[in-house]
Amino acid sequence: MPATIRDVARASGVHISTVSRTFSAPHLVNPETRVRVLACAEDLGYRPNRAARALITGRTHNIGLIVADIANPFFPPLIKAAEGQARQRDYHVFVADTNEDVAAEEDLVHALAKQVDGVLLCSPRMSNSLIEQVSREVPVVVINRQVGGLPCVMMDVGQGARAAIEHLLGLGHRRIALLGGPRGSWTAREMRRAATAAARGGGAELTVLGPNQPTETGGGALAEQVRRGGVTAVLAYNDLMAIGLIEGLDALGLRVPQDVSVVGVDDIALSRLTRPKLTTVATPTAAAGRTAVDMLLQLDSDAPRGARGRGAAAGDRRTTAQVMLQTVLVVRDSTGPVPEPGRDDTGA
Amino acid sequence: MPATIRDVARASGVHISTVSRTFSAPHLVNPETRVRVLACAEDLGYRPNRAARALITGRTHNIGLIVADIANPFFPPLIKAAEGQARQRDYHVFVADTNEDVAAEEDLVHALAKQVDGVLLCSPRMSNSLIEQVSREVPVVVINRQVGGLPCVMMDVGQGARAAIEHLLGLGHRRIALLGGPRGSWTAREMRRAATAAARGGGAELTVLGPNQPTETGGGALAEQVRRGGVTAVLAYNDLMAIGLIEGLDALGLRVPQDVSVVGVDDIALSRLTRPKLTTVATPTAAAGRTAVDMLLQLDSDAPRGARGRGAAAGDRRTTAQVMLQTVLVVRDSTGPVPEPGRDDTGA
DNA sequence: TCTTCGGCTGCAAACCTTTGCAGGACTGCA
DNA sequence: TGCAGTCCTGCAAAGGTTTGCAGCCGAAGA
């Protein structure tokens, strides 16, 4: 049923190669012929078969986007932005969810490799060496992690963590807890490094709790530890954990921000809707998605287009762009001045 | 660089067709040969090229998933479930976002048509006739809408709305508002129909406000109208609007549920995290995603597999499955008994 | 010993495009 | 009139795979 290039050729009385050129190199075909072909194509509802085209050009005009958990509210804005940017450039995007599983992650990129011109890896959990290995099979741009010389786009959570700690210091807090993220997360390491340094610089004590599941439940589970630790402020790995923690503290009878200040990271839509509204480090997720797509497509057009097969597939011109996006601290209602000493479990 | 079937054939000393069969019809090849071929394939890192396979089989093993807005928290759980189900069946999924735009929606399904075995249309904004038209080009399963005889999976918001209204009636409310959804939404119509009937049955008065943008802002904008209307309870088109409304009411000095009861629809993760926790009609979005994928794949395997080209592409065996998923009312903290009469703007 | 059959493998066409090469029709110039 | 050059078009190979058909080999039955 679907019309092929041959049907159009027959209908318009030209050779298939002319039809092909009408679409892929219009300047090579006589204007009159072109309009005739276009008219027939329109009539028959012809659309070039991308798979067949990919077979010979080596360009699929698809990209893959691999994330740890689609339902984690951090990702949808990124996915949306990436998809929009890609489509504007006439690319379609495969979205895949690894469920935070390393093996699934690897399988996925292999499975997708032949079908895409490149893959976006969001907050991958794979080891660096594994990532480098798969990057030899298919062009890769990494989001939210720095791995070797691979192109990547990061959000400066280090700076964000520092700003958050300084904000807390400014409110008088000196005993602060950091709710760590998942094992193997680059972001988690960066935050820890920066937060520790900032706390030390401000003469405060920072205790690290974790690693943890980066979810609401993961945050809630730490409420008891936070209470026992006697800290007056908490920086959480992300907003979800911060919100979970606030819930948990509430259940223990601790109020935010009167008893404990809490700051999150990401500024997901949700953080504006909870009560208290969450103080958080806003990460430019949409910009990251767009930038990553641009980088990937750039990489792609730099690649040796004609040299298919054995050609120097990669390595020649390693575009080693690594961009760092700025974060900004958004102060809302979940942080406040350190409580007066003399409370049950806060005193020295 | 990537190994082809030919490389494997050469390495294992058999014809390419034998390699092909090793993968797609293993029982046709001698066990010894098979292990040898498999070993060579493994060695060379060979993976069948799906595009080439698609070219001849007519099956891409891809599906398309078209949603109005990836960032709307209603969709991610559905996307996640659909993607998981698809991949389990060895399908990859294209996700595309229409930004609530009808034209984009149509373009998208045409653009995707050649590259997928079927398309999932989530809460489409296209007209019925347009949907039926595109469904002749590519198999379609519609989610959250009933259109002609097309296969679809719906969530019973009618029943949900009825349950919500009955819950409110039970709490003594007799003046209730319905916050309508976007124009052209099937769900919105169903809710309205059911809610009106239920209210009338219970001797209550139901005023419909809308249509509206199905967002937090859309809900917030109605706070003033709700106050002026003097209603004691509100059923919102979805949780986002309900939450926005609660915010708006709060700004006007009205407390939920003491002054006004609010019920949402969807039970997005968010609704458990706001204060007060939202009473809402839970819709089985994940189940809907999985079911829709199953239906699409079923459709696909029913189709005349061999008869490519002119064959009876559709129409023969219209699998007209239309499944309706149950919803359930989740009572939390945003609904309560009707306030005592005598308050400023509630009295008759 | 001859046939038959089953199990396995090779052959080649087909799927739909793109693209280097060559050829045809024309134009303009000498 | 002849020639070079330009524009356009057709030819055919190529890309990686599947699959109907035919052929080979060996075993079983007669």
Side-chain angles (χ1 to χ4, degrees):
Chain A
M1 189 63 195
T4 81
I5 202 175
R6 225 170 299 270
D7 299 322
V8 179
R10 197 174 315 122
S12 50
V14 298
H15 194 261
I16 57 165
S17 56
T18 302
V19 178
S20 172
R21 276 187 279 256
T22 303
F23 289 95
S24 50
H27 60 281
L28 289 181
V29 9
N30 184 310
E32 288 178 36
T33 316
R34 196 192 310 160
V35 305
R36 188 156 36 96
V37 170
L38 252 19
C40 291
E42 174 74 25
D43 256 22
L44 278 60
Y46 168 75
R47 309 222 168 209
N49 181 325
R50 291 183 144 200
R53 175 181 291 182
L55 200 52
I56 190 162
T57 62
R59 290 270 177 272
T60 62
H61 263 241
N62 293 146
I63 66 177
L65 174 54
I66 299 183
V67 304
D69 179 8
I70 298 175
N72 178 329
F74 170 78
F75 289 110
L78 193 154
I79 299 174
K80 184 181 172 93
E83 198 272 336
Q85 188 78 352
R87 188 136 43 81
Q88 201 178 317
R89 306 223 184 304
D90 197 27
Y91 276 70
H92 292 156
V93 7
F94 286 110
V95 174
D97 182 307
T98 68
N99 273 311
E100 305 262 358
D101 181 67
V102 172
E105 210 169 71
E106 189 187 355
D107 282 357
L108 226 22
V109 14
H110 285 131
L112 244 27
K114 283 277 192 16
Q115 235 172 157
V116 301
D117 296 339
V119 168
L120 256 38
L121 251 31
C122 288
S123 320
R125 306 288 186 239
M126 287 188 281
S127 69
N128 275 13
S129 61
L130 201 46
I131 296 178
E132 289 183 324
Q133 182 187 320
V134 303
S135 83
R136 278 192 288 276
E137 185 173 350
V138 57
V140 159
V141 168
V142 184
I143 298 180
N144 242 346
R145 176 157 167 180
Q146 186 170 34
V147 16
L150 256 38
C152 62
V153 8
M154 293 163 290
M155 318 198 211
D156 200 343
V157 288
Q159 169 215 325
R162 195 177 324 118
I165 296 292
E166 280 163 5
H167 167 64
L168 293 172
L169 290 172
L171 290 168
H173 297 275
R174 289 298 176 271
R175 305 188 63 182
I176 305 176
L178 172 68
L179 270 41
R183 192 181 305 282
S185 155
W186 175 85
T187 312
R189 275 199 303 280
E190 284 301 293
M191 274 184 62
R192 178 175 180 155
R193 200 182 44 68
T196 308
R200 186 174 306 142
E205 179 187 335
L206 185 91
T207 47
V208 179
L209 271 30
N212 310 290
Q213 278 295 96
T215 63
E216 181 201 337
T217 329
L222 295 168
E224 181 56 38
Q225 270 189 70
V226 165
R227 184 191 26 198
R228 272 207 310 273
V231 302
T232 62
V234 177
L235 170 58
Y237 171 73
N238 67 12
D239 288 348
L240 239 32
M241 289 185 69
I243 291 165
L245 176 69
I246 293 177
E247 291 273 304
L249 291 174
D250 190 67
L252 295 177
L254 290 176
R255 288 164 310 156
V256 174
Q258 293 85 342
D259 299 323
V260 182
S261 286
V262 175
V263 7
V265 174
D266 285 347
D267 194 23
I268 58 180
L270 176 48
S271 63
R272 218 164 310 140
L273 298 173
T274 53
R275 309 241 180 114
K277 293 180 175 146
L278 197 63
T279 295
T280 186
V281 175
T283 52
T285 49
R290 280 191 299 270
T291 308
V293 167
D294 283 345
M295 286 174 59
L296 194 58
L297 266 32
Q298 180 63 35
L299 224 60
D300 205 49
S301 60
D302 286 352
R305 188 177 284 272
R308 304 198 58 261
R310 315 285 155 235
D316 287 7
R317 198 185 184 299
R318 288 275 279 262
T319 315
T320 313
Q322 312 210 132
V323 351
M324 178 73 91
L325 267 20
Q326 296 308 297
T327 57
V328 19
L329 179 71
V330 180
V331 178
R332 297 206 184 91
D333 310 332
S334 66
T335 48
V338 64
E340 295 298 317
R343 280 187 60 257
D344 46 20
D345 49 9
T346 322
Chain B
M1 189 65 195
T4 79
I5 201 174
R6 228 171 298 272
D7 298 322
V8 178
R10 198 173 316 120
S12 48
V14 298
H15 193 262
I16 58 165
S17 54
T18 301
V19 178
S20 172
R21 277 187 279 255
T22 303
F23 288 96
S24 51
H27 60 282
L28 290 181
V29 10
N30 184 309
E32 288 179 36
T33 317
R34 195 194 310 161
V35 304
R36 187 153 38 94
V37 170
L38 251 19
C40 291
E42 174 73 27
D43 256 22
L44 277 61
Y46 167 76
R47 308 221 168 209
N49 182 323
R50 293 183 144 202
R53 175 181 292 182
L55 200 52
I56 188 161
T57 62
R59 291 269 177 272
T60 62
H61 264 240
N62 292 147
I63 67 177
L65 175 53
I66 298 182
V67 304
D69 178 8
I70 298 174
N72 178 329
F74 171 78
F75 290 109
L78 194 154
I79 299 174
K80 184 182 171 91
E83 198 271 337
Q85 188 78 354
R87 190 137 42 81
Q88 200 178 318
R89 306 223 186 302
D90 197 27
Y91 276 69
H92 293 156
V93 8
F94 285 110
V95 174
D97 182 305
T98 67
N99 272 313
E100 304 262 357
D101 182 67
V102 172
E105 209 169 73
E106 189 187 356
D107 282 358
L108 225 25
V109 14
H110 284 133
L112 244 28
K114 282 276 189 21
Q115 235 172 155
V116 301
D117 297 339
V119 169
L120 256 39
L121 252 31
C122 288
S123 319
R125 306 289 186 236
M126 288 188 282
S127 69
N128 275 14
S129 61
L130 201 46
I131 296 178
E132 289 183 324
Q133 184 187 318
V134 304
S135 81
R136 277 191 287 275
E137 185 173 349
V138 57
V140 161
V141 169
V142 184
I143 299 180
N144 241 349
R145 176 159 166 179
Q146 185 169 36
V147 16
L150 256 39
C152 63
V153 8
M154 294 163 291
M155 316 196 213
D156 199 344
V157 288
Q159 170 216 326
R162 194 177 325 119
I165 296 293
E166 281 164 5
H167 167 63
L168 294 172
L169 290 171
L171 290 167
H173 297 275
R174 289 298 177 272
R175 304 189 62 182
I176 305 176
L178 173 67
L179 270 44
R183 193 181 306 281
S185 155
W186 175 85
T187 312
R189 274 198 305 279
E190 284 300 294
M191 272 183 63
R192 178 174 181 157
R193 199 182 43 68
T196 309
R200 183 172 311 138
E205 180 186 336
L206 185 91
T207 48
V208 179
L209 271 32
N212 310 290
Q213 278 294 96
T215 63
E216 179 201 337
T217 329
L222 295 169
E224 181 58 38
Q225 270 190 72
V226 165
R227 187 195 19 201
R228 273 207 310 274
V231 302
T232 63
V234 178
L235 171 59
Y237 171 71
N238 66 14
D239 288 347
L240 239 32
M241 291 186 67
I243 291 166
L245 175 70
I246 293 176
E247 293 271 304
L249 291 175
D250 189 65
L252 296 177
L254 289 178
R255 289 164 310 156
V256 173
Q258 293 84 343
D259 299 324
V260 182
S261 286
V262 176
V263 181
V265 174
D266 284 349
D267 193 24
I268 59 180
L270 177 47
S271 63
R272 219 163 310 142
L273 298 172
T274 53
R275 311 249 177 109
K277 294 180 174 145
L278 196 63
T279 295
T280 186
V281 175
T283 52
T285 49
R290 279 191 298 270
T291 308
V293 167
D294 282 347
M295 286 173 60
L296 194 58
L297 266 32
Q298 181 62 37
L299 225 58
D300 205 49
S301 60
D302 286 352
R305 186 178 285 273
R308 303 195 61 261
R310 313 287 155 233
D316 287 8
R317 199 186 184 299
R318 289 275 278 263
T319 315
T320 313
Q322 310 209 134
V323 351
M324 177 74 89
L325 267 21
Q326 296 310 298
T327 57
V328 19
L329 179 71
V330 179
V331 178
R332 297 205 184 91
D333 310 333
S334 66
T335 47
V338 63
E340 294 299 315
R343 280 186 62 256
D344 46 22
D345 49 10
T346 324

